[in-house]
Structure formats: C-alpha cells, structure tokens
Amino acid sequence: MLGVMMLLSFIVPLVGALAIRRFAWVGIWASVSGIVAVPVLHKLYNHTYDPMGWGFIFVLIFLPAAAGSGLGMAITALRRWLQGPGAITVTHKIVAASFALITVTGGLLMAGDA
C-alpha cells in the first residue's frame, strides 16, 4: 500500500504537469493542489498533527510529488523550448502586464517597509 501511495504521489503530479498546456490547466492544477492542502492546513491550524507522522508524509507523499512535478515541468519546458516561441495573443499580453504590475507593486511595497 505504501508503494501505491508513493507511485500515485509521483504519477498524479507528473501527469498534471505534463497536461499544463493552456492557462485553464494552471487554474485547475492550482485548485487540485488547494484541495489537497486544506486538510494539512486544518491540522496545522488546530495543532492536531502527529510530529512523527510528518517524516512519513514527507517521504511517502511530498518527495515523490515534488519529483513528479519537477520531471513533468522539465519535460514541458523542453517541449516548449523545442517548439519555439508561439504567437503573442491578447491573453499573453494581459497576463504579462498583470505579472509586471504585481511585481512592480510588490517591489514598491516591500521597499517602503524597509
């Protein structure tokens, strides 16, 4: 059973990372990650976690998930690099402008706190 948990913890993030081809998939993948994180955050907030269990969770769940996500993202990045740059659409411009605005705003806010 532990092997199945580790395998699924590796395969599901790998498939999810390979499926991210459009912006909608990023939102879907973030939603799935949020659903998985809710019980963990609930246990942390209520202090009802078992400290010894965190080692098992880390080795059986988080490390395979990180390896699967990392491998999937590396394969996706390689595929996109080999395909070359795509057409720049209105969606790309809006996303780029939003990220630039968030970055500049965050930088100014953090510089004001210093």
Side-chain angles (χ1 to χ4, degrees), residues 94-114:
I94 292 171
V95 171
S98 300
F99 284 158
L101 183 66
I102 290 168
T103 303
V104 170
T105 304
L108 291 173
L109 289 174
M110 289 186 188
D113 290 341

Side-chain angles (χ1 to χ4, degrees), residues 15-104:
V15 170
L18 290 174
I20 295 175
R21 307 285 258 136
R22 302 279 180 256
F23 292 114
W25 279 104
V26 175
I28 292 168
W29 193 241
S31 301
V32 169
S33 300
I35 290 168
V36 171
V38 166
V40 174
L41 294 175
H42 183 273
K43 284 192 166 288
L44 285 173
Y45 180 75
N46 292 328
H47 302 290
T48 57
Y49 59 89
D50 176 19
M52 286 296 291
W54 283 105
F56 291 110
I57 290 171
F58 185 73
V59 171
L60 295 176
I61 306 296
F62 294 137
L63 285 179
S69 292
L71 180 62
M73 288 297 181
I75 291 170
T76 300
L78 179 65
R79 282 192 323 206
R80 289 185 180 200
W81 179 71
L82 292 174
Q83 290 173 353
I88 297 176
T89 63
V90 174
T91 305
H92 293 114
K93 291 177 185 177
I94 292 171
V95 171
S98 300
F99 284 158
L101 183 66
I102 290 168
T103 303
V104 170

